[in-house]
Amino acid sequence: MLTRSFELAIFAKVLTGVGFNPVLTAVRVIMTKWFEGRELGFATNLNLAIARLIVCLDGIITPTLADNYSLSAAFMGGLFFCLCSLVSTGFILKLHN
């Protein structure tokens, strides 16, 4: 059953912000070590553009999964992409070290 709760929405937004900011900081630190000058500006803006594109795609994919399958399917899709992100983060950290 899908519940509509303003408090739950605020909690989810805060939780997302708390998780997103440390990751963003780590990515920017790594980018400043890999790039400099104009390349750094391009890399930073490309990173931001890709992040915004993914947010837009999520706004399309998640409701589609929830409508056509179930809310659990939408959750599992999100979990799958989080795991992909975790694996790619590990790969980048291995490259960085």
Side-chain angles (χ1 to χ4, degrees), residues 26-92:
V27 166
R28 289 197 175 147
V29 166
I30 290 173
M31 286 181 10
T32 57
K33 291 184 179 185
W34 285 3
F35 302 102
E36 48 187 45
R38 293 180 67 153
E39 291 177 348
L40 178 60
F42 179 75
T44 301
N45 287 320
L46 182 63
N47 182 23
L48 182 62
I50 291 171
R52 297 297 179 225
L53 175 65
I54 291 171
V55 168
C56 290
L57 288 175
D58 179 56
I60 296 168
I61 293 171
T62 301
T64 302
L65 286 174
D67 291 343
N68 293 333
Y69 299 100
S70 68
L71 190 57
S72 295
F75 176 77
M76 294 306 285
L79 181 62
F80 171 75
F81 287 114
C82 283
L83 291 174
C84 289
S85 176
L86 181 65
V87 168
S88 66
T89 300
F91 179 71
I92 288 173

Side-chain angles (χ1 to χ4, degrees), residues 5-26:
S5 167
F6 179 74
E7 292 82 13
L8 184 59
I10 294 296
F11 175 74
K13 204 64 168 161
V14 167
L15 188 62
T16 302
V18 167
F20 179 71
N21 285 331
V23 170
L24 184 61
T25 302

